[in-house]
Amino acid sequence: MATTDSREVTIAATPEEILDVIADVESTPSWSPQYTKSEILERYPDGRPKQAKMTVKAAGITDEQVIEYTWTDSSVTWTLLSSSSMKAQDAGYTLTPAGDKTKVRFDMKIDLSVPLPGFIVKRTLKGGMETATDGLAKQVLKVKKG
């Protein structure tokens, strides 16, 4: 059964600055504790990642995932291509300028192939949502400060 969640945060940065941090896929493990390894497999002509392979550890399960990104000027989404513990994953960020800040909405839908109690799935997803928003905000500000 699929589980969905969404979360919003406001970041003192432009959409372009935020998308640049998300596009730095190889750095994701440095600010997102669920990711232990990340590499870009293929890039679009503009240099943005198209496909990436990531090792994710959550709820006591280590999973190797291959995902494919779709980029616009105000969003990035990704879809799971392969995984050992998930049937599906669709996620993404939608960025809306708000003065000198940007409103960031993160949406995620997952469908696990391994059975886990509902409370573990919800707790793990909540941690991932916090990292995807609050962790992203901290990383964007860190990169902006240099």
Side-chain angles (χ1 to χ4, degrees), residues 55-102:
T55 304
V56 182
K57 188 171 184 178
I61 298 170
T62 300
D63 187 25
E64 278 208 354
Q65 303 174 352
V66 175
I67 60 174
E68 184 162 299
Y69 293 94
T70 302
W71 300 87
T72 72
D73 290 339
S74 61
S75 70
V76 58
T77 58
W78 58 90
T79 300
L80 185 71
L81 298 179
S82 67
S83 164
S84 58
S85 66
M86 287 191 179
K87 294 177 194 169
Q89 178 191 108
D90 292 295
Y93 290 97
T94 304
L95 311 178
T96 307
D100 60 348
K101 298 178 180 177
T102 301

Side-chain angles (χ1 to χ4, degrees), residues 5-9 11 15 18-23 28 31-32 34-35 67 69-78 90-96 102-108 127-137 139-140:
D5 203 352
S6 63
R7 196 163 196 266
E8 291 185 4
V9 66
I11 302 176
I18 296 166
L19 289 172
D20 285 347
V21 168
I22 297 167
T28 304
W31 61 270
S32 182
Q34 294 89 348
Y35 292 87
I67 60 174
Y69 293 94
T70 302
W71 300 87
T72 72
D73 290 339
S74 61
S75 70
V76 58
T77 58
W78 58 90
D90 292 295
Y93 290 97
T94 304
L95 311 178
T96 307
T102 301
K103 187 172 106 176
V104 179
R105 178 183 170 98
F106 181 69
D107 294 287
M108 179 176 256
M129 298 302 287
E130 288 172 358
T131 298
T133 52
D134 299 340
L136 173 65
Q139 182 65 11
V140 168

Side-chain angles (χ1 to χ4, degrees), residues 2-3 8 11 38 46 50-51 65-66 69 74 110 117 119 127 135 138 143 145:
T3 305
E8 291 185 4
I11 302 176
S38 182
D46 67 359
K50 181 176 182 183
Q51 287 187 7
Q65 303 174 352
V66 175
Y69 293 94
S74 61
I110 60 170
F119 76 94
K138 288 176 188 167
V143 168
K145 288 180 182 175

Side-chain angles (χ1 to χ4, degrees), residues 61 84-87 111-116 121:
I61 298 170
S84 58
S85 66
M86 287 191 179
K87 294 177 194 169
D111 191 0
L112 299 176
S113 57
V114 289
L116 286 175
V121 174

